[in-house]
Amino acid sequence: MDLYSSIFELIDMRSFSNLWYWIGLAVLWSSASHWAMGVPYDLVVRARRVGGQSEQDLMDIVRINGNRLLYILDVSGLAILAFSCFLFTGLATLGFYYGVEFAQAVFLLLFPICLVVLINVSAARKLRRETPSLEYISKILTRCRIYTQIVGMISILITSLWGMYQNFSIGVPGW
């Protein structure tokens, strides 16, 4: 067996039948639901429970991440939107019109993350409007995390149903 066939056997380009794709999907949504607006959720829990320096750390990191996110959006939001539309239109066309399974898999990974980014932007805007207190920040970040988890559950459901459909309709080589 040569090197190229070994590599392509390890990295199967049929994404939905590949274990690495599903591990990546699980890690992606686990990470996305842990980080609400760039703030690790355990910091929110620790600030509510302990207070003191943890509370101050939470206030600082929320202020920094919120300002950073809104600055990036103000400076290059239009360019990011244009590139995202181009990327997702290309992936959707390649994947669902031309039937490229790899493009379908990448689209089903990345498109829901755009919704999570919009949730985070909305949370940052809400936090900028109000005078932040620990209760208000923890409420907004908890909602942000719950909405992210809802998007993640729906995304995993749709991806798994589409992946099963692809595997059943194409079939598994060698069976």
Side-chain angles (χ1 to χ4, degrees), residues 8-9 15 19 22 31 38 60 104 112 122 133 152 162 170 173:
F8 279 113
E9 187 175 316
S15 301
L19 178 64
W22 297 105
S31 298
D60 291 341
Q104 293 172 2
S122 174
S133 65
W162 185 257
I170 294 173

Side-chain angles (χ1 to χ4, degrees), residues 81-145:
L81 177 66
F83 178 73
S84 298
C85 290
F86 170 76
L87 177 74
F88 289 122
T89 302
L91 285 173
T93 303
L94 277 173
F96 299 106
Y97 184 74
Y98 290 112
V100 178
E101 187 175 328
F102 185 73
Q104 293 172 2
V106 172
F107 181 84
L108 290 172
L109 276 176
L110 295 182
F111 184 72
I113 293 297
C114 286
L115 300 176
V116 171
V117 169
L118 292 176
I119 292 168
N120 288 333
V121 167
S122 174
R125 289 188 192 272
K126 285 179 188 174
L127 288 171
R128 181 179 271 182
R129 274 183 279 171
E130 294 285 328
T131 304
S133 65
L134 176 63
E135 294 161 8
Y136 186 70
I137 288 174
S138 63
K139 177 180 143 186
I140 295 295
L141 292 180
T142 301
R143 280 188 187 164
C144 183
R145 182 175 190 228

Side-chain angles (χ1 to χ4, degrees), residues 141-175:
L141 292 180
T142 301
R143 280 188 187 164
C144 183
R145 182 175 190 228
I146 289 171
Y147 295 155
T148 300
Q149 289 173 338
I150 290 170
V151 169
M153 287 188 297
I154 293 169
S155 171
I156 289 170
L157 176 70
I158 291 171
T159 303
S160 62
L161 290 175
W162 185 257
M164 285 188 287
Y165 170 74
Q166 288 295 316
N167 287 335
F168 287 145
S169 66
I170 294 173
V172 179
W175 287 80

